[in-house]
Amino acid sequence: MDKASYANTRRFLNEGTLPPVNAVRIEELINYFDYDYPQPEGEHPFSITTELAACPWNAERKLALIGIQGKNIDLAEAPKSNLVFLIDVSGSMSSSDKLPLLQKGLSLLVDKLRAEDKVAIVVYAGAAGVVLKSTSGDQKTDIKSAINRLQSGGSTAGGAGIQLAYEIAEKNFVKGGNNRIILASDGDFNVGTSSQEVLVELIEKKRESGVFLSVLGFGMGNLQDYKMEQLADKGNGNYSYIDNLLEAQKVLVTEMGGTLFTIAKDVKVQAEFNPNKVKAYRLIGYVNRALADEDFNDDKKDAGELGAGHSVTVLYEIIPVNSTEKIMDVDPLKYQALESVPNQKFPDDLLTVKFRYKLPEGDESILLSKVMKAEVVELSEASINLQFSAAVACFGMKLRNSESSKEISYEEIRQMAKKAKGVDEEGYRSQFVQMVQMADLIGNPK
């Protein structure tokens, strides 16, 4: 459940430039926002919502939404936290948008810690060291003082810092609790264990201990976006990009439950389409998160994690079976026949959503499924969830120069988002509308 690409995209636009294509991960733009999905009921900590509407960028196609909502938890009754702040204090972190912003952001998180929570601080530059041993969350003055004393300088021994942070987290491990390292850096690892392969291998091995790794990215220029995302994914954590203090508050305070408390690991979603209803389909985004079909049932295959209260929104662009649109021909199979399911067997089914997850301390996956009916409405009649997520998806495609978005303008996207803002207490959706306008001004100067 990474959302870093949205904040990074916003940073580029605020600087007056369109983001590089590879910096725009459409699913992270979509999932930056909260959606009005129902809270789960019953034994599973998730609800599944489905919806089908006309596609806004191609009138001949349909847009299917799958929404997954994680259960909210009362933070006052949440499991005890054993946190290790792993902070990059190398010379590259000296600018105001890096270490100083990081210090302010972590101080906001410290304010929310309880007496039963513990936090330690490890830093790394030319070498790694312990700045604060594991300390009770009610000792806020001591914790903040340790954070505020940090100064940047030297090269970056990131690998040594990660190893030391895991040692401390494992030493203070809380059974049944939230054991997590929060790595804060610009991703410029250049001394010691710095190769991506070695770092990933280390983190993959260490996650078996039950200690999760989340990553906060800061700064610009040499921010190693892909590297930071991969470390968080392999560490059973999430990756956020902090470009200002309001974003720090969103990630570390407003969404603290989702950022810190994992309610399910190795989460996988698979959609099976009814060939009597669907001629072809395209998953929007999730380019580097796709699994092979057979991986869905393989409990050894690592997948994503979901935090408390998090929602995941998935969009599929669909060509209906009765469409005259040509699709790419595939040579007929020689050794097996592809036969349509008899129409009378599932006459109204569009697709079946299958959802697998493991409990945070579990090893065996649990399966949920839900059938989505082929009941389509006009986009204007669809829920605010589908309308707004469609606008965000279209914006992401536009920034990535997708063929699919060539016929729709930034202004049309802006109007679509503006009409679907709904309840916007924090103003995030209004901010998105402004971002679309900014991209239009940058990309189409008058």
Side-chain angles (χ1 to χ4, degrees), residues 359-380:
L359 295 173
E361 297 181 339
D363 295 318
E364 293 187 9
S365 66
I366 301 166
L367 177 65
L368 280 132
S369 65
K370 180 170 183 176
V371 173
M372 180 177 184
K373 299 299 183 181
E375 299 169 352
V376 63
V377 299
E378 292 300 319
L379 187 66
S380 60

Side-chain angles (χ1 to χ4, degrees), residues 4 9 33 40 80 122 137 153 184 215 238 251 291 311-312 319 387 405 415 418:
T9 296
F33 302 94
K80 297 177 182 178
V122 174
V215 178
N238 37 47
V251 172
L291 292 172
S311 64
V312 177
I319 300 177
Q387 291 185 47
S405 63
Q415 291 296 336
K418 189 176 179 180

